[in-house]
């Protein structure tokens, strides 16, 4: 499609109109933004700072107040002489570029003006707040001064009307009141001279002093009362209690109770002197120390009283126990001598009795010394209690060893009787085993069986000889019995195996006879088994030979034979 010249011209006109419209729109936006900046500048300049400065200028200021005012004036002059002018110049320049339709340059200058205006606005607001605070400080000071005066008069009235409660501290409190009153005078002088900021700092100092004074006025009576009603009363109680205990023949060794009481009193006197000078923190530290020392002295005295109660309750019991232990050891010596005539001893029992006797003698000597100390009135009962507990512990150990020794001796006679009774049973068991073998009419027994049988027989005879000695060695007897029991059990097991193997062999041979004519190997096995059975008495090997041959011709036969045999054996037992 080919465009005509008129069409192209129309398009160009349209584009120009659109571009001009956009440019005109942007220029209009810049003008509106410039107007907004102008309005912001006017609002900032409308803040009533000059009026506030004028008000302060007409006040007779001095000191910190005057220096603060002069600093704020200098800040305001900088803002008005420089920053407002720069902002105004920037706004005018932006207007000119906007009128020239140089919208981009106008935008850059407007941004710079907006930044300066933001910074200046913040400075003006801060300056306005500072000026308001300066104008308000005198009013705030007056209100605070009235409240502090009321608290001061209340405190002064308390000191004057309740001087008895504050004791020697009244002089220090009156000095504090005078010092606070002097600070009120300084405050008035500063206010009159126009230094309201310095006057505010003085009020802060006055408030701190009054708060400290109020705290002191509240604490001093309670601290004096605590010293008198609690601590000093406790001191008197300690002195009276100490004297009563001394009169009752209590002793405290290296602990010097009276010196400790005097040391506590010195701390309390020092605490009262600190209270007098209003050094309450130091006074409280001393009072806490005094309280701990008072409690420690009470603990020492109370521990002696408790210890004496323990000693009174247990001393006679311990005397009886030591006497009884000594008598038991004497009896043990007699018993050891008696037992030694019938038994050989291996534990040095005679020496043990001698050692126990020596130990109990030492403990009885210690006990006698403690008892004499009490009788002489020199007892420190806490030490006596500790010593009695040690003696009691040693006496218990001696008594335990003595009982263990006597029990060991008594067991010898019991063991001897027990072995003698068992000996009859062992002989009976041996005879029963012999009858069991004879009952089955075996062709003979292997040499190993006879060896074990005669060995058991010899052990029974040897054990009987040892039991018939004048002095029996129970330790040796126990070892012999243990070996006898072991071999007797082996013999019983071997007897059962021998009988079972012999009987099973006969059963297997009887069952195999039906196959011997048809199976040459079975016939040979029967011949070999019978030879081992009747000539060499090797029943276990004989059973193995015939059972192996029978299993080859009839897999289930050996199992059936064994089952049948054990069933018959079980029936015979029942």
């Amino acid at each position: 499609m080919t465009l005509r010249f008129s069409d192209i011209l129309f398009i160009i006109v349209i584009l120009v109109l659109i571009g001009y419209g956009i440019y005109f729109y942007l220029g209009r936006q810049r003008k509106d933004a410039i107007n907004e900046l102008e309005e912001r500048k006017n609002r900032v300049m409308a803040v009533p700072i000059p009026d506030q400065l004028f008000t302060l200028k007409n006040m007779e200021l001095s000191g910190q107040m005057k220096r603060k005012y002069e600093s704020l004036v200098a800040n305001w002059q900088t803002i008005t002489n420089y920053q407002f002018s720069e902002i105004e110049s920037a706004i005018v320049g932006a207007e000119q570029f906007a009128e020239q339709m140089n919208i981009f340059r106008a935008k850059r200058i407007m941004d710079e003006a907006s930044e300066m205006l933001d910074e200046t606005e913040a400075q003006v607001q801060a300056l306005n707040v500072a000026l308001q605070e300066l104008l308000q400080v005198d009013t705030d000071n007056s209100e605070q001064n009235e409240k502090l005066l009321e608290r001061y008069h209340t405190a002064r009235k308390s000191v004057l009307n309740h001087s008895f409660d504050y004791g020697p501290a009244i002089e220090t409190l009156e000095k504090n009141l005078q010092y606070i009153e002097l600070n009120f005078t300084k405050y008035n002088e500063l206010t009159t001279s126009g230094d309201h900021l310095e006057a505010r700092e003085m009020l802060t100092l006055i408030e701190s002093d009054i708060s400290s004074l109020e705290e002191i006025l509240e604490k001093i009576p309670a601290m004096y009362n605590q010293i008198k009603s609690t601590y000093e009363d406790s001191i008197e109680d300690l002195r009276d209690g100490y004297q009563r205990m001394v009169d009752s023949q209590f002793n405290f060794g290296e602990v010097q109770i009276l010196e400790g009481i005097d040391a506590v009193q010195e701390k309390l006197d020092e605490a009262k002197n600190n209270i007098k000078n209003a050094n309450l923190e130091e006074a409280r530290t001393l009072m806490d120390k005094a309280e701990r020392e008072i409690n420690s002295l009470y603990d020492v005295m109370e521990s002696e009283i408790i210890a004496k109660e323990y000693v009174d309750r247990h001393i006679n019991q311990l005397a009886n126990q030591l006497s009884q232990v000594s008598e038991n050891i004497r009896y043990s010596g007699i018993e050891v001598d008696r037992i030694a005539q019938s038994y050989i001893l291996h534990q040095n029992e005679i020496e043990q009795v001698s050692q126990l006797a020596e130990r109990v003698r030492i403990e009885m000597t210690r006990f006698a010394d403690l008892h004499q100390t009490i009788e002489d009135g020199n007892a420190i009962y806490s030490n006596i209690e500790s010593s009695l507990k040690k003696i009691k512990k040693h006496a218990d150990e001696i008594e335990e060893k003595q009982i263990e020794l006597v029990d060991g001796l008594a067991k010898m006679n019991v063991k001897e009787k027990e072995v003698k009774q068992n000996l009859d049973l062992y002989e009976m068991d041996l005879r029963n085993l012999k009858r069991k073998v004879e009952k089955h009419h075996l062709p003979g027994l292997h040499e190993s069986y006879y060896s074990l049988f005669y060995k058991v027989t010899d052990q029974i005879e040897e054990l009987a000889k040892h039991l018939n000695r004048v002095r029996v060695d129970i330790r040796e007897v126990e070892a012999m019995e243990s070996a006898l029991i072991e071999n007797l059990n082996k013999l019983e097991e071997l007897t059962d195996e021998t009988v079972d193997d012999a009987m099973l062999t006969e059963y297997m041979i009887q069952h195999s006879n039906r196959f011997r004519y048809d199976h040459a190997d079975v016939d040979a096995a029967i011949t070999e088994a019978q030879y081992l059975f009747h000539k060499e008495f090797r029943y276990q090997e004989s059973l193995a030979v015939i059972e192996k041959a029978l299993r080859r011709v009839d897999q289930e036969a050996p199992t059936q034979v064994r089952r049948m045999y054990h069933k018959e054996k079980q029936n015979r037992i029942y």
Side-chain angles (χ1 to χ4, degrees):
M1 180 180 177
T2 303
L3 292 175
R4 293 177 298 176
F5 176 77
S6 59
D7 295 332
I8 294 172
L9 183 63
F10 178 74
I11 291 171
I12 292 172
V13 171
I14 293 300
L15 291 174
V16 169
L17 290 175
I18 291 172
Y20 180 79
I22 293 172
Y23 201 73
F24 179 80
Y25 174 75
L26 292 175
R28 186 65 186 173
Q29 273 192 327
R30 297 292 178 268
K31 288 182 179 180
D32 291 342
I34 291 170
N35 291 335
E36 185 178 349
L37 288 174
E38 186 70 29
E39 290 177 2
R40 282 185 62 194
K41 183 200 75 172
N42 292 334
R43 286 197 300 271
V44 172
M45 295 181 66
V47 177
I49 289 179
D51 297 338
Q52 294 171 336
L53 292 173
F54 182 77
T55 301
L56 288 170
K57 182 179 180 181
N58 292 330
M59 297 171 63
E60 295 182 0
L61 304 179
S62 65
Q64 285 190 38
M65 189 74 172
K66 185 176 181 180
R67 289 192 293 274
K68 182 67 174 178
Y69 164 73
E70 291 172 350
S71 174
L72 295 177
V73 169
N75 290 342
W76 179 244
Q77 289 175 349
T78 299
I79 292 172
T80 55
N81 294 337
Y82 297 102
Q83 295 174 231
F84 279 152
S85 298
E86 291 179 359
I87 293 171
E88 181 65 29
S89 297
I91 292 175
V92 171
E95 288 177 344
Q96 291 176 353
F97 285 118
E99 290 175 356
Q100 296 171 7
M101 301 303 288
N102 192 346
I103 57 178
F104 296 107
R105 195 167 183 181
K107 171 69 167 59
R108 180 175 61 79
I109 295 176
M110 286 171 59
D111 291 341
E112 294 175 356
S114 179
E115 290 178 2
M116 289 188 291
L117 192 56
D118 290 341
E119 181 180 354
T120 302
E121 187 175 17
Q123 293 175 352
V124 169
Q125 290 298 329
L127 184 60
N128 183 41
V129 171
L131 289 170
Q132 289 176 356
E133 289 179 352
L134 281 183
L135 290 171
Q136 185 66 25
V137 68
D138 184 36
T139 302
D140 293 341
N141 285 353
S142 296
E143 294 177 357
Q144 186 178 8
N145 182 53
E146 289 298 323
K147 295 177 182 178
L148 292 176
L149 279 172
E150 184 177 353
R151 290 171 62 186
Y152 166 76
H153 289 305
T154 300
R156 183 179 182 82
K157 183 179 179 181
S158 176
V159 171
L160 296 177
N161 294 342
H162 303 89
S163 58
F164 179 77
D165 294 338
Y166 304 114
I170 190 68
E171 185 177 339
T172 301
L173 296 176
E174 289 176 347
K175 288 181 180 179
N176 287 351
L177 288 171
Q178 292 174 3
Y179 180 74
I180 294 172
E181 188 172 352
L182 180 61
N183 284 341
F184 272 118
T185 301
K186 290 180 181 179
Y187 162 78
N188 291 329
E189 292 173 354
L190 291 169
T191 301
T192 302
S193 66
D195 193 353
H196 302 294
L197 290 178
E198 187 72 27
R200 183 171 65 183
E201 293 180 1
M202 182 56 65
L203 287 176
T204 301
L205 177 61
I206 292 172
E207 182 177 17
S208 175
D209 291 341
I210 290 178
S211 296
S212 298
L213 179 61
E214 290 171 340
E215 182 180 4
I216 291 171
L217 293 177
E218 179 182 356
K219 289 183 176 180
I220 283 178
M223 294 176 75
Y224 273 131
N225 182 65
Q226 187 175 17
I227 289 175
K228 178 175 178 55
S229 301
T230 302
Y231 300 147
E232 292 185 340
D233 285 354
S234 295
I235 286 176
E236 289 303 315
D237 183 52
L238 284 170
R239 290 186 189 277
D240 293 342
Y242 173 77
Q243 190 57 51
R244 288 195 301 271
M245 291 181 71
V246 169
D247 293 341
S248 299
Q249 295 187 328
F250 278 87
N251 298 279
F252 298 92
E254 296 180 358
V255 181
Q256 304 297 322
I257 300 295
L258 290 179
E259 286 79 351
I261 293 173
D262 292 339
V264 173
Q265 185 63 62
E266 289 178 5
K267 285 185 175 59
L268 293 178
D269 292 340
E270 188 178 351
K272 286 190 284 189
N273 188 55
N274 277 285
I275 295 173
K276 175 183 176 182
N277 296 323
N279 297 327
L280 301 190
E281 185 174 351
E282 181 64 24
R284 173 50 61 188
T285 299
L286 290 166
M287 290 168 65
D288 290 342
K289 289 181 179 179
E291 181 177 10
R292 289 194 295 271
E293 292 179 12
I294 287 171
N295 291 335
S296 177
L297 291 171
Y298 269 120
D299 289 342
V300 171
M301 296 169 66
E302 185 177 3
S303 67
E304 289 301 318
I305 293 172
I306 294 173
K308 184 178 186 303
E309 292 175 353
Y310 177 88
V311 171
D312 290 343
R313 286 198 310 270
H314 294 87
I315 192 165
N316 290 332
Q317 296 177 11
L318 185 55
N320 293 334
Q321 182 181 3
L322 288 172
S323 177
Q324 184 62 48
V325 171
S326 178
E327 178 62 22
N328 290 343
I329 291 175
R330 189 187 68 81
Y331 165 76
S332 298
I334 297 172
E335 186 68 9
V336 168
D337 289 338
R338 185 184 68 80
I339 294 295
Q341 296 174 13
S342 302
Y343 300 97
I344 296 175
L345 305 180
H346 294 277
Q347 301 294 330
N348 293 326
E349 284 84 350
I350 296 176
E351 180 64 21
Q352 288 188 49
V353 172
S354 177
Q355 291 175 355
L356 293 176
E358 177 61 17
R359 288 181 61 184
V360 78
R361 186 193 64 77
I362 292 172
E363 298 303 330
M364 293 180 76
T365 300
R366 290 175 179 168
F367 178 82
D369 292 341
L370 294 178
H371 196 275
Q372 188 60 47
T373 300
I374 297 172
E375 291 294 324
D376 294 341
N378 298 322
I380 302 173
Y381 284 102
S382 56
N383 294 343
I384 297 290
E385 177 187 9
S386 178
S387 297
L388 288 180
K389 287 180 178 179
K390 289 180 181 178
I391 293 174
K392 175 70 166 61
K393 179 182 178 183
H394 295 160
D396 290 341
E397 292 174 355
I398 294 169
E399 186 174 19
E400 182 178 350
K401 289 187 177 296
Q402 181 267 330
I403 293 173
E404 181 181 343
L405 177 63
V406 173
D407 287 346
L409 296 174
K411 288 178 181 178
M412 291 185 179
N413 184 258
V414 174
K415 184 62 179 178
E416 181 187 13
K417 292 179 179 179
E418 179 183 337
V419 175
K420 284 182 176 180
Q421 291 175 354
N422 290 341
L423 191 59
D424 295 335
L425 297 177
Y426 301 148
E427 292 176 346
M428 184 181 299
D429 289 341
L430 188 62
R431 288 195 297 269
N432 288 336
L433 291 176
K434 183 179 179 181
R435 283 198 297 271
K436 184 174 184 179
V437 172
E438 292 173 348
K439 177 181 177 181
H440 289 85
H441 305 292
L442 299 179
L445 294 169
H446 194 267
E447 182 180 349
S448 60
Y449 184 88
Y450 284 118
S451 176
L452 182 58
F453 182 87
Y454 293 134
K455 185 176 183 179
V456 172
T457 303
D458 292 342
Q459 286 180 319
I460 292 175
E461 292 177 354
E462 189 66 21
L463 182 57
K465 289 179 181 179
H466 277 74
L467 289 172
N468 290 325
R469 289 178 178 177
V470 176
R471 295 180 65 206
V472 178
D473 189 338
I474 292 297
R475 178 182 293 181
E476 186 177 2
V477 165
E478 288 179 334
M480 292 176 66
E481 183 185 29
S482 178
L484 170 59
I485 292 173
E486 181 180 357
N487 287 328
L488 187 59
N489 289 334
K490 288 180 181 179
L491 182 60
E492 183 177 0
E493 183 178 347
L494 182 58
T495 300
D496 289 338
E497 290 177 357
T498 299
V499 171
D500 287 343
D501 290 344
M503 297 304 297
L504 280 170
T505 300
E506 291 182 345
Y507 275 53
M508 292 288 180
I509 291 174
Q510 291 174 10
H511 198 82
S512 301
N513 281 329
R514 69 183 69 175
F515 302 109
R516 68 184 305 175
Y517 297 111
D518 297 327
H519 300 277
D521 57 337
V522 174
D523 183 60
I526 292 174
T527 301
E528 182 182 0
Q530 287 177 336
Y531 176 80
L532 293 172
F533 188 94
H534 292 284
K535 300 299 181 179
E536 297 187 3
F537 318 126
R538 291 157 59 184
Y539 304 116
Q540 186 176 23
E541 295 177 20
S542 177
L543 174 62
V545 169
I546 190 61
E547 185 173 11
K548 182 178 180 181
L550 179 60
R551 190 177 300 279
R552 284 198 297 268
V553 297
D554 188 348
Q555 185 71 25
E556 298 297 326
T559 303
Q560 294 174 357
V561 170
R562 284 182 175 274
R563 187 182 298 118
M564 178 181 65
Y565 167 73
H566 286 295
K567 185 176 181 181
E568 291 180 359
K569 179 180 177 181
Q570 192 70 23
N571 291 333
R572 288 198 302 271
I573 293 174
Y574 287 112

